[in-house]
Amino acid sequence: MPFSSLGLPDFITKRLPAHDYEKPFPIQEKAIPAIIEGRDLLGIAQTGSGKTASYVLPILSNLMGNMGADSRHVNVLVLVPTRELAGQVADVFRSFSTFLPETVRTVSVFGGVSINPQMKSIRGVNVLVATPGRLIELQSKNAVHLSSITTLVLDEADKMLNLGFKDEMTQIFNLLPKKRQNLLFSATLSDDVTAVNQVLLDSPVVVKIEGDKENLSLIKQVAYNVTEDRKGPLLRYIIKSNDFKQVLVFTSSVFEAEKVVDKLKKNGIEARAIHSKKSQGSRRESLIAFKQGKVNVLVSTDLLARGIDIEDMPCVINYELPRSPKDYVHRIGRTGRAESNGDAISLITKQDQHHFKIIQKKMKRSVDILESDDIDLHGF
Ligand code: AMP
C-alpha cells in the first residue's frame, strides 16, 4: 500500500521518498487514515516500528487550515517520558514541516535545564512536545495555554507511568478541553496503561504491531559465557577485533557505566557514559559526538534504552543483563532498526545463566552461546 492511499495530502506524500520513506510501515498503514479521520487511537508498538511518523504525518496534515489565529494557544500537545525523546519527536515534526504550505512551529520542553529560555520559546508554538513535570511548571507560571489543544499524544505512555508521572499526567488532562483527539502509544499494555486508556480514549482504533518479532529477526544475537574478571577485556576484544565503530553498551548501574567508560578510554577506545546522572548538555553532546563518529562507544543505563534514535546502529552489547526480559528486547531493539541488520551481544556470567534462559524463553528465541575461555585476551 503506498503512502498516497492513506489520505495524506500530496504536498506530504510527494516529499516522503526524499526522506527515504518509500512505503509505509505497518503501523503507519493503520494509524494514518484513522488519525486523519479524527479518531482516537491506541497504538501498541515498540520504538523502531515507525510510530513517530505514524502520528506526526497525519497531525501535520490535519493542522493545515485549522491552526487558528490566536498564537498564544498550542494546537497539539505531545507528552513524552524523557528529554531525549522530546528532542527526537520535535525533530521529526520539524523535518516534515518543511513540506507544508503553512508554517508549523514545534518546540520541545523538558526538565533539568533552565526554564526561562523555554518560557520565551513557547510563545506562538503550534506543536508542543513536553515531559509532564516541566509542562506543569510552565503552566503554573502561566507561560502556556492548553485550552485550545485539539490533539493530545502520549508517546511511550508505559514508560511515563513507570517513571512516576501519573499525577502530573492526570493534572495535565484536567487542563485540556474535553473535546479533543487522543492518541496513546505504548510498548506494552500494562494495567496502568489500560487505566489511562480507559479514562482518555473514546472508542479508539486499536493498532497492535508485533514489532518484536519483526525487528528481532533482523538482529543477530549471540552471547558469550565469561567470568566476571574477564568481562572488561572481553568487551574491549569484541569492539576492537570486530572494528566496531558505533557500539551501544548497556550496564545496569550508573556506577558500572562510569567504570566501563573509564576502562575503555584507558585502552584507547573513545567512549562516553550517558545516564540519568549526566546533565542534559552532556548527554546531548555525547549523543552528537557518537552520531558524528567522534565517539565510538556509548555506555548507557536502561533509562535511555528506548528514547535514543540512532539509525543503523550496528551493535548493542549487554555488558550486564537487564532484570526484565522486556528491557532486553528494548535494548537490543536499538540495533536492527528501520529494516537494517545489527548485532546484539550479551556477556553472561555463571550467575546470569538461569536469567538468560528466562529471557530467551520470554522472547521466544534462542541465542547462540559461545565460550570465551579460549579467547586470548592478553593486551585487551
Ligand atoms: P520510530 O519507531 O518512530 O522511532 O522510527 C524508527 C525509524 O524508522 C526512524 O529512524 C524513522 O525515520 C524510520 N522510519 C519510519 N517510518 C519509515 C518509513 N515508512 N520508511 C522508512 N523509514 C521509516
Side-chain angles (χ1 to χ4, degrees), residues 3 20-21 23 25 28 48-52 309 311 337-338:
F3 271 110
D20 292 329
Y21 281 40
K23 60 178 180 23
F25 286 175
Q28 294 160 357
S49 58
K51 69 178 164 56
T52 319
D309 179 23
E311 284 178 51
R337 303 189 78 200

Side-chain angles (χ1 to χ4, degrees), residues 124-135:
V125 67
N126 305 105
V127 178
L128 183 61
V129 186
T131 54
R134 178 49 60 98
L135 181 64

